[in-house]
Amino acid sequence: MNTSPLHFLHVAGVSPWLDQISRGMLDDGGLQRHVDDNAIRGVTSNPSIFAAAITGSEDYDDQVGELASRGASADEIIRTLMADDLRRACDVLAPVHEASDGTDGFVSVEVTPTLAHDTDLTVAEARDWAKTIDRPNLLVKVPATEAGLPAIEQLIAEGISVNVTLIFSLERYRAVMAAHLAGLRRALDDGLDLSAIASVGSFFISRMDVEVDQRLDDIGTTQATALKGTTAIANGRLAYEAFLETYRGDEWEELAARGAHVQRPLWASTSTKDPDYPDTLYVDAFVAPHTVNTMPLSTIEAYQDHGDLPEAFGPTEMALAHRTLHEMEAVGVDYDEVMEVLETEGVDKFIASWEEVVSDVADEADTHR
């Protein structure tokens, strides 16, 4: 039995996922080694990740040239490159998906970030990704914007598995779970197999500390600075509390009896941005059953090197989390304002990354026309 820290993390109920994908990792067997050696149970991707993979290596140059010579646009080239990588990654994770009875072993692809505020186009592109990749272990990432909520319900109702991304606020997270449940009820009414529909809710962690810590520094009081590095953990733990409150009771038990899976909380943005914080802070803080922690390679390596599995957090820690957010408000940091800033910036950053990769691929394609 493998006794590495990440294997113990998985035993504790946390599925470690790799927040990275590239052609090189697929060609040299790196992804398979992560599955075998690091207990990796899934893969996530986003525009920033693909931008780094495509523009940061020569692995895609030949295919870009071939597609460009046929007259493909930059957008078509990128989607083809992504689709090829995603299918291969799904196939690597397929044994994990099968062994877990469809609860793990997923690979995620994100709808184009520019569609974040358009429900209909988000649904249409998600359908297209599901059809193009054609793998049971694909999750389509849909942002948790106001426009994203009805898209989530619709896609779940159609039997398309969804990774809901860019969740920051507790109120929005509850709305995301409500959309998931509504979609499952519709799917059941239409006779779909609920056991084949999966979902995770990606709750972003470190970005909250970055935003709130700056505000706490600006306030500058002893009470304010004492809260630095604590608010994101508190927010995430209260999200888990909301998860426990949602997936219980007669209504949920009826869906579960028909094969439905809970929408697992996924801890995203788990690399620490402040060098003063431990590099495994956002892994150590979120040990709890039925959760996912998606980590960049640097965090995986750090945790395998010196991760020390703490006990799972429970009612005591969640009570402390309530107090932490109350104290944050009391010193002058407005929770709702922070959440609005984080969602806006999150969408804007993904759009910028998408536009960057489109521009870079267009430049590369022009050299082959």
Side-chain angles (χ1 to χ4, degrees):
M1 175 183 175
N2 195 313
T3 58
S4 76
L6 282 174
H7 281 80
F8 280 125
L9 189 68
H10 177 229
V11 170
V14 183
S15 288
W17 287 11
L18 175 63
D19 193 25
Q20 187 170 330
I21 185 67
S22 69
R23 183 70 52 88
M25 291 173 58
L26 294 163
D27 287 344
D28 68 8
L31 179 57
Q32 185 66 61
R33 287 193 295 275
H34 281 298
V35 173
D36 296 338
D37 300 339
N38 294 332
I40 292 303
R41 310 278 297 172
V43 172
T44 50
S45 67
N46 61 43
S48 297
I49 289 170
F50 270 110
I54 294 172
T55 63
S57 74
E58 298 178 355
D59 296 334
Y60 300 86
D61 289 358
D62 290 344
Q63 191 176 10
V64 170
E66 178 187 355
L67 292 167
S69 66
R70 297 184 204 164
S73 67
D75 187 82
E76 291 169 335
I77 291 171
I78 293 166
R79 292 178 189 280
T80 300
L81 301 180
M82 291 171 63
D84 289 350
D85 283 3
L86 291 163
R87 284 193 206 94
R88 292 176 63 187
C90 282
D91 291 342
V92 171
L93 272 296
V96 175
H97 185 255
E98 183 177 353
S100 65
D101 293 325
T103 61
D104 227 335
F106 292 99
V107 177
S108 296
V109 61
E110 187 150 358
V111 296
T112 305
T114 54
L115 306 182
H117 302 296
D118 190 313
T119 302
D120 292 341
L121 291 180
T122 292
V123 170
E125 186 168 306
R127 289 171 180 154
D128 186 61
W129 273 121
K131 181 179 179 180
T132 298
I133 304 301
D134 192 26
R135 298 292 189 275
N137 55 331
L138 178 75
L139 293 175
V140 182
K141 295 177 78 172
V142 175
T145 56
E146 289 284 356
L149 294 174
I152 294 159
E153 178 182 336
Q154 180 62 35
L155 293 168
I156 294 292
E158 294 179 12
I160 296 174
S161 296
V162 176
N163 177 341
V164 185
T165 188
L166 288 177
I167 306 173
F168 296 99
S169 79
L170 297 169
E171 179 182 6
R172 184 60 55 82
Y173 181 44
R174 292 188 183 95
V176 164
M177 291 187 288
H180 174 242
L181 292 173
L184 287 177
R185 288 191 293 268
R186 289 173 54 191
L188 179 61
D189 290 342
D190 288 342
L192 274 63
D193 177 7
L194 299 190
S195 68
I197 306 172
S199 187
V200 294
S202 295
F203 209 88
F204 278 53
I205 304 299
S206 65
R207 296 187 190 186
M208 180 174 178
D209 270 342
V210 171
E211 178 67 25
V212 173
D213 283 2
Q214 180 60 57
R215 294 173 183 237
L216 294 171
D217 278 335
D218 291 343
I219 294 167
T221 64
T222 301
Q223 293 87 345
T225 56
L227 291 171
K228 290 181 62 177
T230 67
T231 59
I233 292 172
N235 201 43
R237 287 177 171 176
L238 294 184
Y240 187 72
E241 181 181 64
F243 161 75
L244 294 177
E245 292 170 349
T246 300
Y247 292 95
R248 68 181 184 187
D250 292 343
E251 181 181 5
W252 169 248
E253 292 303 327
E254 180 183 355
L255 289 169
R258 303 297 292 270
H261 303 296
V262 298
Q263 183 190 70
R264 288 185 296 170
L266 181 152
W267 314 120
S269 186
T270 54
S271 60
T272 51
K273 308 302 189 287
D274 189 325
D276 291 335
Y277 297 159
D279 52 7
T280 61
L281 175 65
Y282 301 122
V283 183
D284 298 334
F286 292 109
V287 179
H290 307 296
T291 61
V292 177
N293 196 311
T294 181
M295 311 171 218
L297 185 56
S298 59
T299 303
I300 286 173
E301 292 174 343
Y303 198 79
Q304 288 290 61
D305 180 66
H306 50 266
D308 184 17
L309 185 69
E311 292 185 6
F313 67 89
T316 299
E317 289 78 14
M318 286 185 277
L320 176 61
H322 280 284
R323 190 169 73 208
T324 297
L325 292 191
H326 175 76
E327 291 174 351
M328 180 192 79
E329 291 264 9
V331 300
V333 177
D334 187 290
Y335 179 88
D336 291 336
E337 181 182 307
V338 168
M339 296 302 111
E340 183 177 352
V341 167
L342 290 175
E343 180 178 307
T344 300
E345 288 185 349
V347 172
D348 289 347
K349 287 177 180 178
F350 278 0
I351 290 174
S353 294
W354 176 255
E355 291 176 344
E356 176 187 354
V357 71
V358 169
S359 175
D360 288 346
V361 169
D363 291 342
E364 176 68 19
D366 286 342
T367 66
H368 299 277
R369 296 190 196 282

